[in-house]
Amino acid sequence: MLDQVKLEIDEYGLVRTNIPVFSDIELRAALVTFVKRTWDYRKTYLQKELKVAFDGYSYLGQEDSLNQYSFDQLHSFVISDLLPYSSFPKEFHTFLLQEWEPMVQFLTGLQELLLRKFNIEHLKGELRNNMGYMASCNYYPSLSDKKIKGQRLSTHRDVSFFTVFPFGLDRGLVMQKDGQKQNVGVMERVFAFPGYMAEVMTEGKIKALDHYVEESKRPNKERFSFAFFSIPRPEAVINFPKGEMDGKDYYKQYLSLF
Ligand SMILES: [Fe+2]
């Protein structure tokens, strides 16, 4: 499948492919069903309960999430292969048991093409041996009855080496670079961009893409996004240009950006 792939990098570092998007039906249903469960159920899956990397639930308004601010307008659930599937709520089990493994195979193949495209193929072995995958499943509810203004998700760069959107994307994502910004728009092909780890591993030759989700122009409309990240396993010791660091220390370095 990946033999015919074409990749194009734009001036922001966003990589557009010609790969048709995968279906998000299963994962979207899992996320919606989970968010509608009782608070007593949801709270047992908070990040402080799962305790590994960024895995777990962050709710709209939460003060102590690792991956969103209290004023961001979403619920998110991070699933990964850093924990056994049974650690996650049952709503996600069908996806994890049936779709996770083929997705990871696809992402691993795509990552190798991305490494070649960015001329950093020498990092392939280091990444293969030390990286896992996580998926940030994001649900931005309709805002019809609230007067919430401003960005739906604040400007940030990702913790990933590469972030991939295998399901494409609804409108709202904006990229930023050198004071310029550009709407990504609706994406009907798989696309990707570099995260902070790519920047650190290449000593800034590749820049992490800064991005945010803009204020909704259609507040009655809910929004979903599913971003897949390659990230170091917590215990893996990685050869960064400035010395060895394990996954957990890398997460700390990343979180100190905020
Ligand atoms: Fe992001």
Side-chain angles (χ1 to χ4, degrees):
M1 173 191 181
L2 289 169
D3 325 340
Q4 310 286 322
V5 170
K6 293 197 180 82
L7 305 177
E8 275 174 36
I9 309 178
D10 73 10
E11 65 271 32
Y12 287 83
L14 185 97
V15 186
R16 289 176 173 80
T17 79
N18 58 344
I19 308 167
V21 293
F22 294 71
S23 167
D24 70 357
I25 288 176
E26 178 58 41
L27 198 48
R28 187 188 281 236
L31 180 60
V32 171
T33 312
F34 175 81
V35 170
K36 290 185 174 158
R37 297 292 304 262
T38 63
W39 168 244
D40 276 350
Y41 178 79
R42 285 180 286 145
K43 74 179 184 195
T44 61
Y45 294 101
L46 290 168
Q47 289 171 324
K48 65 181 177 200
E49 306 296 338
L50 298 192
K51 296 189 176 75
V52 169
F54 299 84
D55 287 358
Y57 175 48
S58 299
Y59 56 89
L60 198 153
Q62 184 178 338
E63 300 279 349
D64 60 352
S65 166
L66 296 175
N67 52 295
Q68 63 192 53
Y69 291 110
S70 61
F71 43 83
D72 289 336
Q73 299 166 18
L74 75 161
H75 296 264
S76 66
F77 204 108
V78 174
I79 54 175
S80 80
D81 51 20
L82 308 176
L83 280 171
Y85 85 92
S86 53
S87 307
F88 297 104
K90 60 180 183 294
E91 288 78 9
F92 291 92
H93 288 186
T94 303
F95 181 82
L96 287 165
L97 289 170
Q98 295 181 5
E99 297 188 32
W100 182 267
E101 196 49 48
M103 181 60 77
V104 161
Q105 290 209 359
F106 165 75
L107 295 170
T108 304
L110 179 61
Q111 175 152 292
E112 291 184 3
L113 298 181
L114 289 164
L115 293 174
R116 195 183 311 160
K117 187 75 181 175
F118 281 98
N119 289 316
I120 48 171
E121 266 186 304
H122 61 282
L123 296 176
K124 187 163 134 182
E126 191 72 15
L127 298 184
R128 263 245 150 131
N129 295 334
N130 297 311
M131 305 291 277
Y133 284 95
M134 70 182 218
S136 180
C137 308
N138 306 318
Y139 169 55
Y140 300 79
S142 145
L143 299 173
S144 48
D145 26 347
K146 296 175 202 149
K147 273 265 174 241
I148 299 180
K149 291 274 178 208
Q151 294 176 355
R152 275 181 143 173
L153 178 64
S154 319
T155 308
H156 66 283
R157 51 216 6 222
D158 289 342
V159 67
S160 59
F161 195 99
F162 288 119
T163 299
V164 179
F165 288 78
F167 306 139
L169 196 67
D170 198 356
R171 71 191 69 205
L173 184 69
V174 182
M175 319 182 268
Q176 255 182 340
K177 190 181 182 184
D178 304 330
Q180 304 286 311
K181 57 185 181 182
Q182 190 179 304
N183 271 285
V184 173
V186 174
M187 296 292 263
E188 291 174 337
R189 293 284 184 271
V190 175
F191 70 100
F193 52 74
Y196 181 61
M197 188 168 172
E199 182 164 321
V200 177
M201 287 290 272
T202 64
E203 297 189 283
K205 283 192 212 66
I206 295 174
K207 296 270 186 258
L209 189 141
D210 292 316
H211 55 285
Y212 64 91
V213 180
E214 67 181 358
E215 179 172 353
S216 178
K217 297 187 174 76
R218 296 170 301 164
N220 293 330
K221 201 169 176 291
E222 55 189 16
R223 181 179 187 277
F224 293 87
S225 74
F226 300 93
F228 286 69
F229 293 28
S230 49
I231 55 158
R233 299 186 165 278
E235 316 299 339
V237 178
I238 294 155
N239 264 316
F240 284 92
K242 293 208 159 65
E244 285 186 344
M245 186 162 38
D246 70 16
K248 282 185 184 164
D249 285 335
Y250 167 72
Y251 309 154
K252 274 189 213 142
Q253 180 175 321
Y254 166 76
L255 288 169
S256 72
L257 300 174
F258 302 97

